[in-house]
Amino acid sequence: MDLMEMCFIALGAAVIVCYGVKLLLFSRMFFPKRWFPLSKSFFTSMGEWAVVTGASEGIGRAYAFALAEQGMNVVIMSRTKGILDQVAKDIGVTTGQKVKVMVTDFTKDNIFSEIEDQLRDLNIGVLVNNVGILPSFIPSKFLESADLDQTITKVINCNVKTVAKMCKIILPGMEKRGKGVIVNISSGIASIPFPLYSLYAASKVFVERFSQGLHAEYKDKGIIIQTVAPFGVSTRMADYQPTNMVTLSPEDFVKSSLQYLRAGDKTHGSVCHIVLGWLLQSIPLKVLYAESMLGSLQDYVKTKAARKIHISASSATFENGKNK
């Protein structure tokens, strides 16, 4: 056996071992309770308070409820006071925990000094950076976005700037105490450059890279920093798609994602979404970027949205007729 042949055999063996290890690590994701267990007192051991942005509905509301159920008091933040007050009431009645309401519009400038003042004296153990905006549910090319200059500013302020600023406000206290959890919500479509949602997907790439960098910087300080990148969750941003095996309710998704808190600096949050992430990255970009594929995606979303509007209008007509 000559040297060249031995080199190829060694290389082949190394590749097999490498993929075997990757497969083993991937298989752990199917059994999160076994591989990434959390004690019953885990969240309360981090601190007394949790802060959740974008908590008036959807994933943010579900995180606020889940953390309160774990025994934490929660600060819920969004721009709609009436809805926040109702959420606060529901959490208080259901869990008995304290709830602090902060009305904030994260698309605006110069809002963070007031937020810092209101959070200054709280022992914050968990931060969930959930707030975010999708310029349009209907996929469209960048230059076709309505009010493009305003849209750019709002997306950057809400999806990018807010994550960095909230970490700046809360991370120093966690570092001082040597413990804490920061969960930054990204999106599954940030796994690849995603045409027709380019601005939104790019803003979520920032969330991922920023979170992963912070995790590397502060994990030795006892702080967990993780980005969660869901695919289908039935929220207003996803036009309240019906739940199924792929599209989860916010409550089911949050319950699942919290089981992966110790699974590393990034998770898709559920077994199904983890598999979807792997499949998406396995498809050649040339296939995804084909004009026929993009056109089909656009037509599919438009058709579903139009059908939903039609069904809603028909239901309203029926109810009005019945009430006459």
Side-chain angles (χ1 to χ4, degrees):
M1 183 181 297
D2 58 22
L3 181 60
M4 183 66 71
E5 189 175 354
M6 290 179 63
C7 287
F8 278 119
I9 291 174
L11 179 61
V15 170
I16 291 172
V17 170
C18 178
Y19 277 92
V21 170
K22 284 186 176 182
L23 183 61
L24 179 63
L25 293 175
F26 182 77
S27 68
R28 298 187 305 166
M29 301 302 168
F30 292 92
F31 309 100
K33 289 184 178 180
R34 178 179 178 181
W35 288 101
F36 317 112
L38 296 175
S39 67
K40 290 184 178 180
S41 62
F42 173 80
F43 290 102
T44 52
S45 72
M46 294 292 111
E48 183 183 359
W49 287 86
V51 175
V52 184
T53 67
S56 60
E57 58 181 310
I59 292 175
R61 181 182 185 277
Y63 268 110
F65 262 93
L67 293 169
E69 287 169 351
Q70 292 293 327
M72 302 193 78
N73 300 320
V74 291
V75 179
I76 55 175
M77 307 174 69
S78 185
R79 63 184 177 182
T80 312
K81 185 178 187 303
I83 300 176
L84 281 178
D85 287 340
Q86 184 60 52
V87 172
K89 180 180 178 181
D90 293 343
I91 291 175
V93 170
T94 303
T95 68
Q97 297 302 124
K98 298 177 184 176
V99 185
K100 181 179 175 66
V101 169
M102 291 181 60
V103 180
T104 309
D105 187 347
F106 288 103
T107 66
K108 304 296 184 183
D109 294 314
N110 305 318
I111 61 172
F112 293 99
S113 58
E114 182 181 349
I115 291 173
E116 187 168 11
D117 289 341
Q118 294 192 50
L119 297 179
R120 193 181 307 279
D121 298 326
L122 299 182
N123 177 4
I124 298 170
V126 177
L127 166 64
V128 180
N129 274 314
N130 166 73
V131 70
I133 58 171
L134 176 67
S136 173
F137 174 68
I138 305 297
S140 61
K141 293 182 178 179
F142 177 64
L143 294 179
E144 295 172 358
S145 301
D147 303 317
L148 185 54
D149 284 331
Q150 187 178 15
T151 295
I152 291 170
T153 299
K154 285 184 174 181
V155 169
I156 291 175
N157 280 350
C158 191
N159 298 9
V160 175
K161 184 179 178 181
T162 292
V163 174
K165 285 286 193 176
M166 291 301 296
C167 287
K168 175 184 177 292
I169 291 169
I170 292 174
L171 189 54
M174 293 180 173
E175 183 181 27
K176 184 178 180 180
R177 294 190 303 272
K179 57 186 178 180
V181 172
I182 297 177
V183 175
N184 295 324
I185 307 300
S186 177
S187 170
I189 69 171
S191 301
I192 61 169
F194 211 99
L196 304 182
Y197 291 109
S198 297
L199 184 60
Y200 175 77
S203 72
K204 292 303 185 177
V205 171
F206 170 85
V207 174
E208 290 192 5
R209 295 297 175 265
F210 181 67
S211 299
Q212 291 169 322
L214 284 188
H215 178 74
E217 291 174 10
Y218 291 96
K219 63 181 179 180
D220 292 338
K221 304 288 187 179
I223 303 169
I224 296 173
I225 301 173
Q226 184 184 67
T227 183
V228 177
F231 282 94
V233 181
S234 183
T235 65
R236 181 160 56 91
M237 188 178 289
D239 201 32
Y240 298 109
Q241 296 299 309
T243 57
N244 51 43
M245 191 174 71
V246 175
T247 303
L248 307 179
S249 71
E251 293 75 20
D252 286 344
F253 175 77
V254 168
K255 181 179 179 180
S256 173
S257 69
L258 288 174
Q259 295 176 3
Y260 291 93
L261 200 53
R262 291 190 178 275
D265 59 13
K266 177 184 175 180
T267 178
H268 288 293
S270 75
V271 170
C272 184
H273 290 190
I274 289 168
V275 172
L276 281 175
W278 177 78
L279 288 173
L280 184 63
Q281 291 181 300
S282 301
I283 301 173
L285 292 182
K286 285 186 177 180
V287 174
L288 292 173
Y289 293 172
E291 283 294 328
S292 58
M293 181 68 77
L294 296 179
S296 296
L297 171 64
Q298 203 166 29
D299 292 341
Y300 173 76
V301 176
K302 285 181 178 179
T303 300
K304 290 205 74 170
R307 185 181 299 130
K308 186 168 184 178
I309 291 171
H310 175 72
I311 292 172
S312 297
S314 299
S315 298
T317 301
F318 175 74
E319 288 298 326
N320 289 335
K322 191 170 69 169
N323 292 332
K324 286 181 179 179

